[in-house]
Amino acid sequence: ETGVTQSPTHLIKTRGQQVTLRCSSQSGHNTVSWYQQALGQGPQFIFQYYREEENGRGNFPPRFSGLQFPNYSSELNVNALELDDSALYLCASSLPGLEGEKLFFGSGTQLSVL
Amino acid sequence: QQQVKQSPQSLIVQKGGISIINCAYENTAFDYFPWYQQFPGKGPALLIAIRPDVSEKKEGRFTISFNKSAKQFSLHIMDSQPGDSATYFCAASLTTDSWGKLQFGAGTQVVVTP
């Protein structure tokens, strides 16, 4: 059984650019949630995808968007990057059901915006 | 508005001692309260979780105490070991709304000295 994998592990962009982060969910998990973790803070919920549809969104602007593919992998896209977007971006997968609230996190993508 | 408040921000405990981390929440509808452990360079990993129908849950050296009337819950780490040195996050969610939408606290950095 493979865990949640994210790519790339590190990324440096400049303000105004666009970025795409990728996540492969744990085997059998059909739900992916994305979180932003600023330095020294707890993760903040961005949005969740379930069966390729957005299923809940946190307090993030529309320039944060996502996709989920038929194999349940997912992408997070951020347009018009701002300095405050510098953070660790975490992907978590889960399987709705008896223990659907259990999230399995990847190691994250560290994004630096200069 | 921060819906989950965590304290202390950091703590140092000697090997064999007890680490205690406290959290308070605002939304009385929350029905799932997990604790996550995060090591540097890694994503958070589920440690233990509780639902509001019980006041205490123990798994090995880790215990959650839950006080529904006070809207507070805490993590006790008994017989703390150097390998427990990590950042701990409490969280809360409303599983009937979105099972992957966790509200995290700001985290507590625990250092266990030999």
Side-chain angles (χ1 to χ4, degrees):
Chain A
E1 179 180 280
T2 57
V4 177
T5 58
Q6 293 187 242
S7 62
T9 55
H10 295 83
L11 202 53
I12 299 175
K13 291 286 187 178
T14 55
R15 192 171 50 182
Q17 286 188 313
Q18 177 266 342
V19 68
T20 297
L21 311 181
R22 295 178 174 82
C23 170
S24 292
S25 61
Q26 185 162 313
S27 178
H29 287 186
N30 59 10
T31 303
V32 173
S33 303
W34 285 92
Y35 285 79
Q36 180 195 66
Q37 186 176 18
L39 188 63
Q41 299 296 317
Q44 298 290 317
F45 177 76
I46 303 175
F47 44 55
Q48 180 186 81
Y49 279 83
Y50 170 63
R51 293 184 175 178
E52 302 178 57
E53 297 286 333
E54 187 178 291
N55 180 46
R57 187 179 183 93
N59 189 27
F60 280 81
R63 58 189 186 85
F64 285 79
S65 63
L67 282 174
Q68 187 179 32
F69 301 99
N71 66 354
Y72 304 133
S73 65
S74 177
E75 286 183 354
L76 165 65
N77 298 290
V78 187
N79 293 322
L81 284 167
E82 300 177 359
L83 297 180
D84 286 348
D85 296 334
S86 295
L88 179 67
Y89 288 84
L90 295 163
C91 165
S93 73
S94 57
L95 180 62
L98 188 61
E99 296 185 320
E101 66 277 1
K102 285 187 177 179
L103 299 185
F104 296 83
F105 284 88
S107 294
T109 294
Q110 185 66 55
L111 173 65
S112 298
V113 182
L114 305 179
Chain B
Q1 181 186 6
Q2 189 177 9
Q3 296 199 45
V4 180
K5 295 182 179 180
Q6 184 172 346
S7 63
Q9 190 173 11
S10 63
L11 68 91
I12 300 174
V13 61
Q14 286 190 331
K15 179 181 176 182
I18 302 174
S19 303
I20 302 174
I21 307 170
N22 300 299
C23 282
Y25 62 96
E26 295 292 325
N27 189 346
T28 56
F30 285 148
D31 61 355
Y32 176 67
F33 302 88
W35 284 89
Y36 280 81
Q37 179 189 56
Q38 186 176 29
F39 293 103
K42 299 293 186 183
L46 180 64
L47 194 60
I48 187 173
I50 198 168
R51 293 195 178 273
D53 52 346
V54 297
S55 60
E56 186 174 283
K57 183 175 181 180
K58 183 177 180 180
E59 290 186 1
R61 296 184 293 108
F62 301 92
T63 300
I64 298 179
S65 296
F66 186 82
N67 186 330
K68 188 175 181 178
S69 61
K71 296 189 291 184
Q72 295 176 347
F73 58 111
S74 61
L75 176 70
H76 291 63
I77 307 174
M78 313 299 287
D79 187 26
S80 296
Q81 299 296 312
D84 297 333
S85 297
T87 301
Y88 293 81
F89 294 95
C90 62
S93 72
L94 176 59
T95 57
T96 55
D97 175 22
S98 176
W99 53 82
K101 186 177 179 179
L102 291 173
Q103 299 283 345
F104 281 89
T108 297
Q109 185 172 17
V110 174
V111 174
V112 182
T113 60

